[in-house]
């Protein structure tokens, strides 16, 4: 991949916009769902598996960041992050300038997505009793807030740009969440740099680097994905905040996070207590209502923002050997049509093959949740741009229309992939629904200079309707050939 140095200039005024951005802005207006800033500069010659290059430590956890200026992330228009939250740890509220999907790799807890203008639909059942006891007592005990969602391993959270979000770990093991931001979305109207806006906390702890060289490179190039040193309240005067909220100047200073060195993930003493429904029959009835609804009556305030893609009942591809794939698109979770993102979760057993395929309308960003695979990616020049091992915790971008194949290692291979389209379309090269199967035999004969018998084998040997090829089925084909 390559990139012109002019792309690194931060736009500060209209004259710079005219000089730097006329070309891609014109393209942007012609595209309904994604920016194409800098598309002509994406010369994809080599792709590498990526690990986080920055680690920001806080009181109750760690935020790990991938280099959003890395060529493959930059060309795909995405920015990844990973949060590791200790038990009783709270990821403080923040929002970003791009839509995002968050996958819960491990753990369980609570999540809040605060959408402007939506009502406080969760309220205490003790309010009426407190009201009878007196207004002053009622004011002291009353609590109302927007909906809280219980989260667990396998959940996907879909969050629009500008929506404030927080996470709390109420389990006994660390909660791990991987987030992918679509910085090329039209919702991000400034540029393709990810910007975080903290509503609380102050990042005073030290930031350590995995690779000092990468860090220096980021600083030279300008904008880099990082945790803000201060929250947004710190930019206002104490007096203005005190007047706006009707609180004391001391409380206003607390809002600013002055002398707060806990970072952006903090411990909650005694655990977090918030109003929420209990799991059980009510949740099952709600889930059934979601499955039967057509989604047309949903508003942004009532839309589902969460779905579990580790649930076996939602698997789209399943084999008795244990291989399985679950897709999540806007047909299943309507808000994804608004975000123009989707996801896929897959499990392959030892040596199973995810057959060659490409995505015709989306980039795919693979994150390995367990095990490993050997992966190969081939570009439009018919040349490999990646051939290597992909291990747990690593991330890899598969550009739109690039062909990819993956074979699980000895410990199997589990992954989640984020896609930059609400309904990503997969085109297989092998199997019953493949492009080769759809061609006439004579076309195959002349295209590959093979006999009719060989063309028929090429076309009909694979009867699978899925992209998963198990080791047993591959050996049977080789024996019969």
């Amino acid at each position: 991949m390559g990139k012109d140095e002019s792309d690194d200039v931060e736009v500060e005024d209209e004259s710079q916009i005219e000089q730097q951005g006329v070309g891609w802005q014109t393209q942007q207006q012609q595209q309904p769902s994604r920016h194409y800033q800098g598309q002509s500069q994406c010369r994809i010659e080599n792709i590498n598996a990526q690990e986080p290059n920055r680690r920001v430590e806080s009181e109750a956890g760690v935020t790990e960041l991938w280099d959003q200026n890395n060529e493959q992330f930059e060309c795909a228009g995405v920015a990844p992050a990973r949060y590791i939250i200790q038990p009783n740890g709270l990821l403080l509220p923040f929002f970003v300038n791009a839509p995002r999907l968050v996958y819960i790799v491990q753990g369980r807890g609570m999540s809040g997505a605060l959408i402007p203008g939506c009502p406080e639909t969760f309220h205490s059942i003790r309010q009426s009793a407190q009201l009878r006891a007196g207004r002053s007592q009622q004011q002291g005990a009353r609590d109302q807030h927007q909906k809280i969602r219980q989260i667990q391993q396998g959940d996907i959270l879909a969050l629009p740009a500008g929506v404030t979000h927080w996470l709390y770990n109420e389990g006994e093991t660390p909660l791990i969440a991987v987030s992918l931001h679509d910085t090329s979305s039209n919702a991000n109207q400034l540029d393709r740099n990810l910007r975080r806006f903290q509503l609380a906390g102050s990042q005073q702890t030290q930031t350590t680097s995995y690779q000092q060289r990468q860090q220096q490179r980021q600083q030279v190039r300008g904008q880099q994905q990082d945790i803000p040193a201060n929250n947004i309240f710190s930019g206002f005067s104490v007096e203005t905040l005190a007047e706006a909220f009707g609180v004391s100047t001391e409380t206003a200073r607390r809002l600013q996070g002055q002398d707060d060195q806990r970072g952006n993930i903090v411990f909650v003493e005694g655990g977090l207590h918030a109003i929420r429904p209990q799991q059980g029959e009510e949740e099952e009835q709600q889930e059934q209502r979601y499955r039967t609804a057509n989604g047309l009556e949903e508003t942004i305030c009532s839309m589902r923002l969460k779905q579990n893609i580790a649930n076996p009942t939602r698997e789209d591809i399943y084999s008795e050997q244990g291989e399985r794939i679950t897709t999540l698109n806007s047909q299943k979770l309507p808000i994804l049509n608004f975000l123009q993102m989707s996801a896929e979760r897959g499990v392959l057993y030892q040596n199973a093959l995810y057959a060659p395929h490409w995505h015709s309308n989306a980039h795919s960003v693979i994150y390995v949740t367990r095990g490993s695979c050997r992966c190969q990616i081939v570009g439009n020049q018919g040349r490999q741009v990646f051939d290597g091992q992909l291990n747990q915790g690593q991330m890899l971008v598969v550009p739109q229309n690039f062909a990819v194949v993956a074979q699980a290692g000895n410990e199997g291979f589990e992954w989640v992939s984020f896609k930059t389209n609400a309904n990503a379309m997969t085109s297989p090269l092998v199997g019953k629904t493949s492009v080769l199967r759809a061609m006439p035999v004579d076309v195959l004969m002349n295209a590959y200079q093979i006999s009719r018998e060989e063309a028929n084998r090429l076309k009909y040997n694979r009867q699978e309707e899925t992209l998963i090829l198990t080791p047993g089925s591959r050996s049977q084909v080789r024996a019969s050939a």
Side-chain angles (χ1 to χ4, degrees):
M1 294 185 183
K3 187 175 185 296
D4 293 343
E5 291 298 323
S6 61
D7 285 351
D8 296 325
V9 178
E10 184 176 355
V11 176
E12 296 180 351
D13 53 38
E14 294 182 358
S15 63
Q16 285 184 307
I17 293 174
E18 292 177 358
Q19 295 173 7
Q20 304 287 346
V22 172
W24 72 262
Q25 283 185 337
T26 302
Q27 287 180 316
Q28 168 192 333
Q29 293 168 1
Q30 297 171 352
Q31 298 293 339
S33 58
R34 285 179 61 81
H35 287 311
Y36 282 76
Q37 175 187 6
Q39 185 184 44
S40 61
Q41 284 78 33
C42 289
R43 297 184 294 271
I44 303 173
E45 300 173 355
N46 190 38
I47 294 175
N48 297 301
Q50 297 292 316
E51 295 183 0
N53 76 308
R54 289 183 65 81
R55 178 182 176 89
V56 182
E57 297 183 358
S58 299
E59 178 188 65
V62 174
T63 302
E64 296 178 319
L65 307 170
W66 279 261
D67 179 10
Q68 69 172 338
N69 289 322
N70 176 275
E71 288 84 357
Q72 58 186 298
F73 294 133
E74 193 171 45
C75 287
V78 297
R82 180 167 61 203
Y83 303 97
I84 303 174
I85 307 170
Q86 297 301 321
N88 289 331
L90 173 66
L91 176 63
L92 293 175
F94 71 101
F95 61 92
V96 295
N97 60 329
R100 52 187 156 142
L101 294 182
V102 181
Y103 179 72
I104 307 301
V105 179
Q106 172 186 300
R108 63 182 180 87
M110 289 187 285
S111 170
L114 313 177
I115 303 175
C118 292
E120 299 169 338
T121 55
F122 280 34
H123 56 86
S124 172
I125 60 174
R126 296 187 298 272
Q127 285 180 22
S128 58
Q130 292 289 343
L131 185 62
R132 290 192 296 269
R135 181 174 177 82
S136 60
Q137 294 181 4
Q138 182 257 349
Q139 288 286 354
R142 180 179 180 180
D143 187 21
Q144 295 184 175
H145 53 73
Q146 289 190 18
K147 182 177 181 178
I148 288 178
R149 294 164 178 85
Q150 295 178 324
I151 57 169
Q152 61 181 344
Q153 179 179 346
D155 279 344
I156 282 274
L157 295 171
L159 301 171
V163 168
T164 300
H165 178 235
W166 56 265
L167 276 177
Y168 173 70
N169 182 359
E170 62 179 349
E172 298 178 352
T173 60
L175 190 154
I176 302 176
V178 174
S179 179
L180 189 85
H181 310 80
D182 184 4
T183 56
S184 288
S185 168
N186 279 340
N188 180 19
Q189 297 187 21
L190 185 58
D191 54 34
R192 291 176 70 160
N193 292 308
L194 180 66
R195 288 175 167 82
R196 300 170 186 271
F197 301 84
Q198 291 288 146
L199 282 182
S202 181
Q203 191 63 47
Q204 301 293 339
T205 54
Q206 291 185 351
T207 301
T208 59
S209 173
Y210 287 112
Q211 301 175 5
Q212 188 69 24
R213 201 163 130 197
Q214 283 281 8
Q215 180 178 349
Q216 292 172 352
R217 174 176 171 269
Q218 285 178 323
Q219 292 172 348
V220 169
R221 298 183 68 174
Q223 285 283 347
Q224 67 172 347
Q225 186 181 173
D226 207 345
I227 303 300
N230 300 296
N231 68 52
I232 60 176
F233 292 118
S234 64
F236 297 103
S237 68
V238 172
E239 293 75 16
T240 298
L241 290 177
E243 178 68 21
F245 283 96
V247 295
S248 66
T249 55
E250 176 60 28
T251 299
R253 291 189 181 92
R254 295 278 185 175
L255 283 175
Q256 294 180 329
Q258 294 185 10
D259 302 322
D260 186 350
Q261 300 185 12
R262 297 175 300 167
N264 67 314
I265 306 175
V266 304
F267 279 118
V268 178
E269 295 184 8
L272 187 67
H273 302 284
I275 304 162
R276 55 176 172 164
Q278 297 296 317
Q279 288 182 314
E281 183 178 357
E282 179 181 355
E283 184 176 289
E284 294 175 2
Q285 291 174 352
Q286 185 182 52
E287 182 67 24
Q288 178 64 31
R289 185 169 69 252
Y290 288 150
R291 286 196 291 265
T292 57
N294 60 19
L296 295 177
E297 72 283 355
E298 290 186 315
T299 67
I300 189 65
C301 293
S302 61
M303 269 189 170
R304 283 185 300 142
L305 304 182
K306 182 196 77 170
Q307 183 152 313
N308 192 284
I309 57 175
N311 189 332
T313 63
R314 293 196 174 101
E315 290 169 355
D316 299 296
I317 297 175
Y318 172 82
S319 71
E320 292 182 349
Q321 289 81 7
E323 290 80 18
R324 49 196 184 270
I325 293 178
T326 305
T327 58
L328 181 64
N329 56 29
S330 66
Q331 308 303 316
K332 300 177 181 180
L333 192 63
I335 196 171
L336 294 179
N337 193 49
F338 179 66
L339 270 61
Q340 280 300 301
M341 300 180 75
S342 56
E344 172 188 272
R345 178 183 180 270
V347 177
L348 296 183
Y349 274 25
Q350 181 181 10
N351 297 327
L353 189 73
Y354 197 9
H357 62 280
W358 75 90
H359 294 98
S360 58
N361 62 347
H363 301 303
S364 181
V365 184
I366 301 171
Y367 176 80
V368 185
T369 57
R370 191 188 71 82
S372 65
C373 76
R374 184 194 175 188
C375 182
Q376 299 178 40
I377 303 175
V378 178
N380 59 302
Q381 298 293 334
R383 185 179 63 83
Q384 283 186 352
V385 296
F386 179 80
D387 180 9
Q389 190 87 351
L390 191 57
N391 299 313
Q392 181 174 338
Q394 291 184 325
M395 193 168 279
L396 184 71
V397 174
V398 182
Q400 177 187 6
N401 292 321
F402 279 48
V404 58
V405 61
Q407 183 170 15
N410 293 330
E411 297 179 354
F413 175 49
E414 297 183 16
W415 77 94
V416 60
S417 58
F418 306 94
K419 305 179 191 300
T420 57
N421 192 294
N423 293 283
M425 297 177 63
T426 302
S427 296
L429 284 163
V430 176
K432 196 171 182 178
T433 60
S434 70
V435 291
L436 297 188
R437 179 67 176 263
M439 294 182 189
V441 170
D442 278 18
V443 172
L444 295 175
M445 291 171 57
N446 287 277
Y448 300 112
Q449 301 183 69
I450 56 179
S451 67
R452 185 171 297 274
E453 181 181 1
E454 289 172 324
N456 278 313
R457 284 183 180 178
L458 184 66
K459 184 172 180 176
Y460 295 111
N461 255 359
R462 282 298 186 187
Q463 297 300 320
E464 292 91 343
E465 296 186 13
T466 73
L467 287 167
I468 296 176
L469 305 178
T470 62
S473 65
R474 295 202 303 277
S475 61
Q476 291 172 7
V477 170
R478 286 194 296 269
S480 64

